[in-house]
Amino acid sequence: MADESNTGPIAATEAANAEVKAPTTKKQRSARRPKTAAEPVQASSKALAAKPRRYSEQEKSEKLKLIETQVQGNSTLKDAIKSAGISEQTYYHWKAAAKAVKQSDTKGIKGTRPVPAGDELADLVQLEEENQRLRKLLAEKLRAENAELRKRLELD
């Protein structure tokens, strides 16, 4: 069993560490240099970043049509998008926007102006008349088929 009262080497190490950890004064920083209006280092790094290009609606639709024709001409979608000079994300964003505009246009044609109640009633009456006409036509065809079947059964 080890003698717990023997703390000789550990106590000496702790005493040495206490002497080393004496507080020291911090180094003083020099004052920061004020920023100038245009630093050449920052200007060159900004020049490397691409400036976002804004396309008009006509340019967007032309590029989408170009991509569609290239894809139909046995080109891959990725190659067509790359040749148009846009990213895939931009292509899908433009495509979704164009689809939304197209859907709103088709809905707008039907529902932009409210249909007067008289027109709705006239349409309903016309549909009822057509329904009656079709029912009569169906009844005549069924009677004819029924009569034909009875004749066949009587002959047999």
Side-chain angles (χ1 to χ4, degrees):
M1 197 161 157
D3 185 16
E4 293 180 5
S5 62
N6 184 5
T7 58
I10 295 173
T13 311
E14 288 179 5
N17 286 340
E19 292 174 10
V20 173
K21 291 183 182 177
T24 59
T25 59
K26 290 186 175 180
K27 290 184 180 180
Q28 295 293 324
R29 283 189 177 176
S30 60
R32 285 191 172 184
R33 192 176 88 205
K35 292 184 178 179
T36 58
E39 292 183 10
V41 175
Q42 291 179 351
S44 64
S45 66
K46 287 184 181 179
L48 297 177
K51 182 180 177 184
R53 170 103 159 69
R54 303 285 181 202
Y55 292 94
S56 68
E57 293 299 320
Q58 183 180 4
E59 290 174 321
K60 290 177 183 180
S61 63
E62 288 174 0
K63 286 193 181 274
L64 288 174
K65 287 177 185 177
L66 173 71
I67 291 169
E68 286 179 23
T69 55
Q70 287 181 355
V71 168
Q72 290 174 353
N74 296 331
S75 177
T76 64
L77 181 62
K78 283 188 175 189
D79 292 339
I81 292 171
K82 187 181 274 188
S83 69
I86 58 174
S87 68
E88 282 186 60
Q89 185 173 4
T90 301
Y91 167 74
Y92 287 113
H93 181 72
W94 287 359
K95 190 175 177 183
K99 185 177 180 181
V101 167
K102 186 176 180 182
Q103 285 179 352
S104 68
D105 286 346
T106 58
K107 287 181 183 176
I109 292 170
K110 294 179 185 174
T112 52
R113 54 190 169 111
V115 179
D119 289 346
E120 288 179 0
L121 185 59
D123 289 343
L124 183 60
V125 169
Q126 184 182 7
L127 287 172
E128 288 290 335
E129 290 172 357
E130 185 179 1
N131 194 10
Q132 289 296 326
R133 184 182 62 80
L134 291 172
R135 285 180 187 210
K136 287 178 183 177
L137 184 64
L138 179 64
E140 289 174 14
K141 284 187 176 184
L142 289 174
R143 281 187 210 123
E145 287 179 12
N146 196 6
E148 188 178 320
L149 284 173
R150 286 184 183 180
K151 285 181 184 179
R152 286 185 189 170
L153 289 174
E154 289 175 3
L155 292 176
D156 287 340

